[in-house]
Amino acid sequence: MKKFLLSTAMGAALLLGGFSATGLATPTKTEAAGFEVMLHRSGYFSNYVTSQAYSGKYDSRVKTYSLTHGSISSNSSVKGTYKVYIQTRKNSKSSWKTIKTINATKNGKTTFASPKITNGYSYRFYSVNSGTKKRVNFSMSWVPWAN
C-alpha cells in the first residue's frame, strides 16, 4: 500500500511539474525558428543544373556545420540515376570543390547527409544527368545544422 501511495504521489508531482513547465511557458525564438530551418529547392533539368550558392555564415563560436535530413524526390520518363554533387568554396573568387557525390534515382526518393563544412564556406548543389537526356523533375529539402 505504501508503494502504491508513493508512486501515485510521485506521478501526480511529475504531472503537475510537467504541466507547469510546458503549459505556462511561452515558446522562445529558437523553438519558433526551428520549424523554418528546412530549406527547399525544386525544378527540372535535362542535362545539368547548378543551384544558387547558399552561405553558411554562423556565429563565430560555430566552427563547422553540415547538411542533414536531406532528401531528393525525383520523377522522369526513364529509369536510372543521376549525380548530385555537394560543392563548397571559401569565397566568390575560389573554385568549387566537391565534398559529396549523391547517386539520386530518377524515379523515387534518395536521402543524403553531407560531411562537415567549415563555417564561412558557401555550398551549392550541382546535378548532372548523364546518359539519356530526358527531363528529370526534382524536389530537394535539407537542414543546415551547426555543430
Side-chain angles (χ1 to χ4, degrees):
M1 186 71 176
K2 260 187 178 178
K3 285 184 181 181
F4 176 73
L5 289 174
L6 183 61
S7 64
T8 305
M10 293 206 36
L14 287 173
L15 183 63
L16 289 174
F19 175 73
S20 64
T22 59
L24 301 176
T26 58
T28 62
K29 272 186 171 178
T30 308
E31 291 170 348
F35 292 107
E36 300 175 15
V37 235
M38 186 163 276
L39 299 175
H40 300 280
R41 179 173 174 256
S42 61
Y44 67 90
F45 69 101
S46 58
N47 192 6
Y48 65 91
V49 67
T50 308
S51 75
Q52 68 183 35
Y54 300 94
S55 76
K57 294 183 181 178
Y58 296 97
D59 188 275
S60 62
R61 293 173 290 179
V62 174
K63 300 299 179 205
T64 61
Y65 66 97
S66 57
L67 310 178
T68 61
H69 302 292
S71 70
I72 305 169
S73 298
S74 308
N75 64 22
S76 178
S77 61
V78 294
K79 295 179 182 178
T81 62
Y82 63 96
K83 295 198 182 295
V84 178
Y85 301 100
I86 301 176
Q87 299 178 327
T88 62
R89 72 177 176 182
K90 185 169 174 99
N91 54 39
S92 60
K93 295 178 185 174
S94 61
S95 61
W96 291 100
K97 292 186 169 82
T98 301
I99 60 167
K100 174 94 176 185
T101 302
I102 305 160
N103 289 318
T105 60
K106 290 183 181 176
N107 291 297
K109 185 175 182 178
T110 306
T111 58
F112 68 90
S114 78
K116 293 181 179 182
I117 303 169
T118 306
N119 187 10
Y121 279 54
S122 55
Y123 64 93
R124 74 173 182 180
F125 297 97
Y126 184 73
S127 304
V128 178
N129 185 11
S130 57
T132 309
K133 302 293 189 237
K134 297 287 184 177
R135 179 177 166 151
V136 176
N137 302 309
F138 68 94
S139 175
M140 299 175 69
S141 61
W142 67 95
V143 177
W145 188 260
N147 297 326

